Amino acid sequence: MVFQKLPLTRAIEAVVAAGGSDAREAKLVAENLVMANLLGHDSHGIGMVPRYIGALLEGGLAPNREPATRLDLGTLLVLDGQAGYGQSIGHRATGMAIERAKRHGSCILLLGNAHHLGRIGHWAEMAVAEGLVSLHFVNVLSYARVAPFGGSDGRFGTNPFCAGIPIPGEPPFMLDMATSAVAQGKLRVAHNKGEKVPLGRVIDDKGNPTDDPRWAVVQPFGSMLCFGEHKGYGLAAACELLGGALTGGGTWHYPNTPRSKVLNGMMSILIDAARAGTSAAFAREARAYVDWVRASPPAPGFDRVRIAGEPERETRAQRERDGIPVDESTWNEIRASAIKLRLSPDRVEALARGG
């Protein structure tokens, strides 16, 4: 199934609005999710809608919330997301941090208790659009799906890390990654498509390696693995301590429960590169470095060397031209979510088709 960006956005907007969100929030959520699909991050795209609606109906997600300010020192901003839609809470919180970073030269944002913040690169893109460097450490309170290095069961979430760095004269460096070997949503997509995954990403409920993504998607659950063995595990723990403990949103240290809510804590560091006193050197060295890296002769099987962010921009251009592919299982789950909200799934389908 293939959809165009604007009709698909309107369809998702209608589902979110049926859950009680006002027009502004429904638009923010829909645009954020569809953008993730456009960039090739289907794991953080419209396939999250059924999870959101489940959390909404359980009471773990509250529409139309604003972040509550716990502390505002200008260069240090502490906010509580009040379990509101992460797309709305994240937009407001990042906007506040950007304003303070531009005023003071830097800002540390501690955001706790936000519902799923979606693709973390979205917030880094907001910052780099204003000429800011941004770093993001995020923890996930949902279901302990990822095993620590040397362990055989899940003890924390996929805990993303993101770095957005403006590069003078070209699009930014945008590193946005889960600390697990793969995002959990990508395993959901693979499961829905009936595909296997490479070994080294999932273990079964006995701790044995497996190529079947169902162990990360349906019960009885196995676990996901960190990337880079102890290195990914160390970064995941840092995200838990900074994004969870330091923000006040909480860390994972309790038994799993079968609920749909996904709470994130995020520590963001924003720096105004123009105020750092190194602007000339930064512009010169950043560009010289990426040019140097790209000049490496491509290895067999590759056409050229890319920097972080380029694959997503290439996918966006292709999908804006050709449309956004959505697997049938995911689309049927979205239709089922509409029914739960007493919204006609045929109306959602018609909107997505441009009707």
Side-chain angles (χ1 to χ4, degrees):
M1 306 176 71
V2 178
F3 300 97
Q4 296 301 312
K5 175 179 71 173
L6 292 180
L8 183 59
T9 301
R10 286 194 290 269
I12 300 304
E13 199 173 330
V15 176
V16 176
S21 292
D22 60 26
R24 171 189 168 276
E25 181 168 87
K27 190 172 190 293
L28 280 172
V29 174
E31 288 180 343
N32 180 288
L33 295 177
V34 172
M35 179 57 70
N37 286 107
L38 274 176
L39 293 168
H41 290 284
D42 297 327
S43 58
H44 289 65
I46 64 170
M48 290 301 302
V49 168
R51 186 74 180 270
Y52 291 175
I53 300 309
L56 185 73
L57 296 175
E58 291 170 359
L61 166 60
N64 306 317
R65 290 287 177 90
E66 288 287 329
T69 301
R70 304 304 186 202
L71 179 71
D72 186 355
L73 299 178
T75 56
L76 178 61
L77 183 61
V78 183
L79 304 176
D80 188 301
Q82 303 191 91
Y85 268 104
Q87 287 77 8
S88 178
I89 296 294
H91 186 270
R92 175 65 175 147
T94 302
M96 293 171 70
I98 287 171
E99 189 278 328
R100 286 151 181 78
K102 292 179 74 69
R103 188 196 319 166
H104 300 287
S106 65
C107 180
I108 297 174
L109 166 66
L110 304 179
L111 172 63
N113 196 35
H115 201 264
H116 188 243
L117 287 164
R119 186 179 62 90
I120 304 305
H122 190 88
W123 317 121
E125 287 164 357
M126 284 182 62
V128 298
E130 298 293 333
L132 303 176
V133 172
S134 70
L135 303 174
H136 307 264
F137 299 82
V138 184
N139 84 321
V140 183
L141 300 180
S142 168
Y143 199 98
R145 297 184 182 276
V146 185
F149 180 65
S152 62
D153 68 349
R155 293 286 156 163
F156 45 82
T158 54
N159 292 8
F161 168 78
C162 180
I165 304 171
I167 305 295
E170 67 170 81
F173 175 94
M174 189 63 59
L175 175 64
D176 181 14
M177 65 181 197
T179 51
S180 53
V182 64
Q184 193 274 335
K186 293 188 187 302
L187 297 175
R188 170 180 50 79
V189 171
H191 174 69
N192 286 347
K193 291 181 176 180
E195 297 175 350
K196 300 296 184 182
V197 297
L199 292 175
R201 297 186 176 184
V202 184
I203 54 178
D204 64 20
D205 59 349
K206 301 295 190 299
N208 299 308
T210 178
D211 62 0
D212 190 343
R214 77 177 181 86
W215 289 103
V217 180
V218 298
Q219 293 185 345
F221 288 123
S223 302
M224 300 166 63
L225 296 174
C226 292
F227 82 88
E229 300 180 332
H230 61 286
K231 298 176 183 179
Y233 164 47
L235 185 54
C239 287
E240 195 74 37
L241 294 169
L242 297 174
L246 187 60
T247 64
T251 62
W252 191 278
H253 50 79
Y254 42 84
N256 284 321
T257 56
R259 299 184 67 82
S260 296
K261 71 177 181 181
V262 185
L263 295 179
N264 287 146
M266 178 170 70
M267 184 185 82
S268 301
I269 303 171
L270 279 64
I271 301 169
D272 188 346
R275 300 273 294 276
T278 60
S279 294
F282 177 72
R284 181 182 66 250
E285 293 298 322
R287 187 57 186 265
Y289 173 72
V290 298
D291 287 346
W292 166 256
V293 171
R294 286 185 178 129
S296 176
F302 293 86
D303 61 341
R304 64 184 178 89
V305 173
R306 292 166 171 80
I307 66 167
E310 286 188 88
E312 289 84 351
R313 290 188 284 269
E314 292 172 1
T315 301
R316 178 177 180 177
Q318 182 263 317
R319 290 189 172 187
E320 285 186 331
R321 181 185 66 246
D322 300 333
I324 299 170
V326 179
D327 66 88
E328 188 173 354
S329 294
T330 295
W331 189 246
N332 286 337
E333 290 172 0
I334 292 172
R335 288 174 56 92
S337 296
I339 293 172
K340 292 178 182 178
L341 299 174
R342 299 182 180 179
L343 175 66
S344 167
D346 292 337
R347 175 57 180 158
V348 174
E349 183 94 30
L351 285 170
R353 298 294 185 187

